[in-house]
Structures are given as C-alpha cells and as structure tokens.
Amino acid sequence: MTIDEILAGESKNVEFKEALPDKSIKYMKSVVAFANGSGGKIIFGIADGTGEVVGIAKDDVFKIMDAIANAVSDSCEPAIIPDIILQTVEGKTIIIVEVLEGRQRPYYIKALGRDGGVYVRVAGTTRLADDYMIKELMFEGGNRYFDQALCVGLSITDDDIEALCMEMKKQAVKNAHNDVQKASIKDVGRQQLRSWGILIERDGKDYPSNAYAILTGCGALHTATQCGVFKGTTKEVFVDRREYTGPIWEQIEEAFQFVLRNIHLGAEIVGIYRQDVYEIPPDAIRELIINAAVHRSYLDHGNIQIAVYDNRLEITSPGKLPMGQTLERMKEGYSQIRNEALAYAFSYMNLIEHWGSGIPRIIAKVKAAGLREPEFIGGEVDLRINIYRGKIDNSIRYTDPNNSFSLIDNSVRVPDTDKTAVKNVRIVPESAVEMPKSRKIVPDTISVGLNSPDIFPVNPDTVPDTFDKMPDNMCTPPDPVNIMPDNEQEQKIYRYVLQNGYITTAEAMEILSVKDRRARVILRNMVEHNLLTKTGAARSTIYARKA
C-alpha cells in the first residue's frame, strides 16, 4: 500500500484505528465485513477522526501484531487469515491488517453466532447484515444461484411449461436483429429449461424454480419495475408514476416505452430528410433496463426503480454487487453472473448478446451521443446508474413528451408548429462565416425581429459578457454572481463544474496544480459552504454543483 493511498483517508475498503482497542470485537466486526465484501485494510497507528499519523511504539509493535493475529483466529468463523505487515509513514511505524475477499461466506463473529454476528460494509461503515443479505452470502458461499432454487409453493402443469416455451421463442424471434438470426432460432423445450435451471426434475416430475416464477410473473415472487417522472432533480414532486408487473420481458418493454415517452425527442436533418433522435440513445436505455432485470438480487424484496428527472435518467437495481464484482471491473466488461438461469433465458431470447459486454457498450453509446459518461454509484446495497441529459448536437431539435414546445440546442424554446418536418431551419457551412474572436454573447433572435434596435446595440462593446454565467442546459438557471466563490482557486473549480457537471479530486489537482491533500481540503471546504455536493467514496468520489 503506497503512502499516498494511506494518506488519502478512510473509504469503504480502508479503516483507521489510532491504537489497538481494549476489546477485539471493536475491530473484529470490520474484519468480518471485509471478508464478506470485496476485502479491505485496517490500519493501526492513524487517528480515524483526523487522519493524523500517530504511529505505534516500536517496543509494542510485534506484541500488537501477535495480538491481532490471535484475535482474528479465535473470533471469526469460518477461519480468516489476514496479512499483517509493518510500514513506515512520516517516520512513524504503522500496522496494516489486510483481509482478502472470502469465499466461504457468510463470515461471522463466533461469540455472536450466525444470526447476530454477520457484518457487511455499507458506504464506508460496518453494519449488521440484513436477513436477505445473509441469504445472499450463503448462496455465494455455496456457489449456488437463487434463481435456480426451487420456488416453494408454486405448482405448474404441462400446459404452463409449453406456454412458456412458446412465448420464449416468440420473444427470441421478436428481438432478432436480422433474418439470418431469426432463421437460426430453434424451439426451446422441457429438457433445455432443465439444463438452464428454470425447471427442476425430481422423480420424473418437473417443478418450477425461482427463475420460472420471475420469467412468467405468475405472482409466486413479487417482482415489479417502478417508473416515475419527477419535477426538478429530487423525488420531492411526482409528475407521473407507474408500476409494471407480469412476465419479466413485458416489464422491460413497458419500462422502456415509459422512458421514451418522458424524454425529449429531437430531429436531425440528414440531407433533405428529418431523422428522429432521442436525447438519450434508446439502445442504451433498453440495455440498462435489461441489465437491471437480469443482474438484480431477487432475494432483496425491493423493486427496480427507473426515475426521469429534469437533468438525468436514474436506474436503480436492488442488491449488492455479486462476489468478485466491482464497479471498475464491471465498466471494463468483466461479467459476474448472479442469476444464471435468467442469463441463459435472456441470451436465448436475444435480450442480451455476450455476457459482460453490455456495460462497455452502453458507455460507448452514451459518449458517442455527446453525453457525459454514465455515473455508477453504490454497489454495497444497490446499484444506481445515472445518465445525464444534456446538449447533443446543434442540428438537433428536441420536443417535450407532450409536444407542446421544441428545443433547439437544448436552450431556446420555440413553438412546435410542425410535428413532421423542421421548417425555416437553415444550415450554414462552417466555412461560410468567420466566427468572431471575441467571446461577447449575441442575444437570442429567434422570437424577435432581426432589425430591432433593442437586439443589436449601436456599439457592440456595450453587449454584456455573460459567458461564465450561461447555464449548461434549459433546466439550469443562470448562476447568480453572489454565489460565485471569492477564493480564486475555488472559482476555477466552480467554473469547471458549471461547464462539465462535476469534478474529481484528480481533475482539481490538475486544474490548480496542487497536491492531492490540498485539493481535497479545497473541495471539502466548498462542500461545507454548500457550493458543491459530494457523491461516492474513495476513487469514485465526484463533486457536483449543489442543487
């Protein structure tokens, strides 16, 4: 572990202890939590409140290391073997206890038992695991899948099985990309469902698994997709809400159409033709919804939630990330299947193509549309993915879901008088006009006569320069001067956030030419003064404008 990583502070995988506690249970909960999660480190000799390196007395170092090793061995079940090392930081000795991700889950404190001694990490803190999370850990530890387990209390007939097989083939044909793929689709039968784990054969009779209940939406398991439209950027004011149940493929399609109805539809002129363009690529939206359905935890009784805000689309999938998965690995294309039977079924129905390729493909499509890279948050209790809405291209004309107005450049409202063609739009080649070198802003002339003296003053130098106060999009009001920070360094950061939507510590270091610790101090000060808001933890931390 590098010195910079140590001095970066506590996170979901790093915990500080100034000294060895009198009672080992005070840090043993974290040892168990790290083993039940993605691993982590406890560092003794650093104050947890201030991050100050206080060190461990050299005479006590080896005695403390032995005490830690014995406490972990005696207190945890199954056995946890930590890696305990010494390191010198700022001339002082610290002890680093590294606990690796465990495979024999759930790990718990012997004295408290499995019912009361299972701990997990959530948002950088250690907490007692919920009942569903303990069950999730048990399935992971047994290398089993919940969706392939018997669905207790559900009875099915041969006709039910045949109906599912026919509907799955129908979906496969519907989702095929071309005639060649359609022609290659084979019938799915009872034996195939058994091999996938959708049916469980016992004594010559077939019984339904949890995957069967999820696919058919028969009611044995409550699975729903909740959709909502909200005014502003929070969930304070509902504009519309829906809850979709039934077969999982129907939930996906209904949720997808709900989103399309509630985001802007644009028009791009290609030659002499108008081409409809959504502000968020529909393929990316659909893949995100499918990804949430196939990878969510069905042990968690929560629902998939899809929320449309003024500034973003937010999709929340219940359940922590599967064992071995991280946000970083997921974005790189690493696949860790949580529901194997559903994954096989979705693959057959052409809902997913290649396992693991979905997230990188979504990121590429969103960035290609000129939008910010999707934001991935959480992973410890649930996974939330944000796609931020914003300007795509100057030639695109947006309309609201009710078609009451249009947007050009995502900033100017004009009446939408023609739903089928864009009139009075003249596209001028870039080479035809030389752009002025000045950053002076020319007022909007769309709704006012071009020859009005109120629009073009006699002296162009009298036009106010409002470049730094222009909103990023129509939903963002101009930034009042009185909230602009007084400090020059904070002003640079604030302007960067206004232009890009958010900033990271690394970006702040580069902009200000300062070291990591100084950048963090400045960002923290801006959060305390309600200029920015902090989201995420450790390397995934971002600082956005305060709503």
Side-chain angles (χ1 to χ4, degrees):
M1 191 173 187
T2 67
I3 294 177
D4 288 341
E5 289 175 334
I6 294 172
L7 297 179
E10 292 184 298
S11 66
K12 66 177 183 180
N13 298 110
V14 177
E15 188 171 291
F16 292 159
K17 296 290 182 185
E18 185 170 345
L20 185 69
D22 296 335
K23 296 182 179 180
S24 63
I25 195 171
K26 292 182 179 179
Y27 66 92
M28 210 54 56
K29 294 177 182 179
S30 296
V31 171
V32 166
F34 286 142
N36 282 326
S38 56
K41 300 178 179 70
I42 304 175
I43 304 177
F44 295 89
I46 299 182
D48 55 355
T50 63
E52 178 186 0
V53 181
V54 297
I56 302 292
K58 292 183 179 179
D59 295 340
D60 298 333
V61 165
F62 294 105
K63 180 174 65 176
I64 291 175
M65 291 175 68
D66 287 341
I68 293 171
N70 291 333
V72 173
S73 176
D74 295 340
S75 303
C76 303
E77 186 73 29
I80 297 175
I81 303 176
D83 188 13
I84 306 174
I85 62 172
L86 299 178
Q87 192 163 335
T88 300
V89 178
E90 298 180 354
K92 299 174 182 178
T93 301
I94 61 172
I95 299 174
I96 300 177
V97 179
E98 182 175 9
V99 180
L100 299 178
E101 177 183 26
R103 299 287 172 180
Q104 296 177 278
R105 305 179 176 195
Y107 293 88
Y108 58 93
I109 297 174
K110 290 181 184 179
L112 301 177
R114 180 179 288 181
D115 293 337
V118 178
Y119 287 85
V120 293
R121 294 286 285 184
V122 177
T125 62
T126 298
R127 80 174 199 188
L128 194 64
D130 299 330
D131 288 342
Y132 98 85
M133 198 168 288
I134 295 175
K135 292 178 182 177
E136 187 89 59
L137 292 169
M138 291 175 68
F139 273 99
E140 289 179 343
N143 197 27
R144 297 179 294 131
Y145 301 94
F146 172 74
D147 67 331
Q148 292 180 336
L150 180 69
C151 186
V152 179
L154 177 62
S155 299
I156 57 174
T157 64
D158 291 342
D159 289 342
D160 294 331
I161 296 173
E162 184 178 352
L164 174 59
C165 292
M166 293 176 62
E167 186 60 39
M168 287 180 66
K169 183 177 181 181
K170 178 181 175 181
Q171 291 298 318
V173 172
K174 174 185 174 183
N175 297 318
H177 298 296
N178 50 57
D179 292 338
V180 175
Q181 190 177 32
K182 282 184 182 180
S184 65
I185 296 172
K186 299 178 181 179
D187 292 342
V188 62
R190 187 183 296 254
Q191 186 57 44
Q192 191 69 68
L193 297 184
R194 291 172 185 164
S195 67
W196 290 343
I198 296 173
L199 294 178
I200 301 171
E201 183 184 16
R202 291 182 180 176
D203 300 326
K205 186 176 180 180
D206 288 314
Y207 296 88
S209 68
N210 290 321
Y212 178 96
I214 295 166
L215 286 168
T216 60
C218 61
L221 293 176
H222 177 70
T223 58
T225 302
Q226 296 175 326
C227 299
V229 179
F230 300 90
K231 183 178 180 180
T233 59
T234 67
K235 291 184 177 178
E236 292 182 6
V237 181
F238 260 111
V239 176
D240 188 17
R241 70 175 78 185
R242 295 285 189 275
E243 180 171 302
Y244 301 112
T245 57
I248 193 66
W249 52 79
E250 289 184 5
Q251 293 185 36
I252 292 169
E253 183 61 27
E254 288 171 328
F256 173 59
Q257 294 299 329
F258 178 90
V259 174
L260 294 187
R261 289 196 302 271
N262 288 285
I263 62 174
H264 296 142
L265 176 62
E268 184 176 22
I269 306 303
V270 180
I272 62 173
Y273 298 101
R274 164 183 169 142
Q275 179 177 333
D276 288 339
V277 179
Y278 284 97
E279 60 177 320
I280 301 174
D283 287 349
I285 297 170
R286 191 166 186 268
E287 285 202 52
L288 277 176
I289 297 172
I290 291 171
N291 190 76
V294 74
H295 291 300
R296 63 153 291 182
S297 170
Y298 286 94
L299 277 163
D300 188 329
H301 297 303
N303 296 313
I304 294 171
Q305 294 185 335
I306 301 172
V308 180
Y309 299 93
D310 287 353
N311 69 333
R312 70 190 187 278
L313 167 66
E314 179 183 278
I315 298 179
T316 304
S317 178
K320 70 180 187 65
L321 291 176
M323 182 172 62
Q325 184 66 292
T326 64
L327 294 179
E328 291 73 20
R329 299 181 77 185
M330 180 174 62
K331 289 189 284 186
E332 292 171 357
Y334 175 80
S335 179
Q336 187 67 25
I337 301 299
R338 186 201 301 275
N339 302 299
E340 190 172 70
L342 290 181
Y344 280 121
F346 275 44
S347 181
Y348 170 79
M349 293 187 291
N350 293 313
L351 289 170
I352 59 176
E353 295 181 19
H354 305 289
W355 294 1
S357 65
I359 294 299
R361 192 165 55 245
I362 290 167
I363 294 173
K365 288 177 180 177
V366 171
K367 292 173 69 175
L371 303 178
R372 269 176 55 183
E373 181 174 322
E375 179 182 40
F376 296 78
I377 302 173
E380 295 154 327
V381 175
D382 55 27
L383 174 63
R384 187 164 76 250
I385 301 177
N386 290 327
I387 297 182
Y388 285 88
R389 306 166 69 179
K391 184 171 71 172
I392 299 176
D393 185 84
N394 289 345
S395 64
I396 295 178
R397 174 186 184 184
Y398 300 109
T399 60
D400 78 341
N402 297 318
N403 291 323
S404 58
F405 64 84
S406 297
L407 302 177
I408 297 178
D409 255 350
N410 210 18
S411 60
V412 181
R413 289 172 176 253
V414 298
D416 187 13
T417 57
D418 191 339
K419 305 299 188 298
T420 61
V422 179
K423 296 183 179 179
N424 301 322
V425 176
R426 185 165 61 95
I427 300 177
V428 182
E430 292 182 4
S431 60
V433 180
E434 182 180 355
M435 295 301 291
K437 296 179 181 179
S438 171
R439 289 198 317 177
K440 301 298 184 182
I441 303 302
V442 179
D444 176 28
T445 61
I446 288 180
S447 58
V448 188
L450 294 176
N451 298 321
S452 172
D454 296 329
I455 298 302
F456 293 104
V458 176
N459 182 3
D461 293 331
T462 62
V463 179
D465 183 1
T466 59
F467 181 82
D468 293 330
K469 302 179 183 63
M470 287 296 291
D472 290 338
N473 55 55
M474 62 158 287
C475 302
T476 308
D479 189 31
V481 175
N482 61 357
I483 69 166
M484 180 64 71
D486 297 328
N487 182 284
E488 183 178 351
Q489 289 181 316
E490 292 184 359
Q491 287 178 7
K492 290 182 179 179
I493 290 177
Y494 200 69
R495 288 193 182 97
Y496 184 90
V497 172
L498 290 179
Q499 293 175 5
N500 298 277
Y502 70 99
I503 193 170
T504 65
T505 304
E507 290 167 340
M509 291 168 59
E510 182 178 352
I511 292 170
L512 303 179
S513 298
V514 297
K515 294 185 178 180
D516 178 88
R517 181 175 291 185
R518 177 59 183 163
R520 291 179 185 277
V521 170
I522 294 171
L523 291 168
R524 185 166 59 246
N525 184 62
M526 295 182 73
V527 171
E528 292 173 354
H529 287 83
N530 292 321
L531 293 168
L532 300 178
T533 179
K534 180 181 177 182
T535 305
R539 295 181 180 178
S540 62
T541 300
I542 65 170
Y543 298 85
R545 185 182 179 190
K546 187 75 173 180

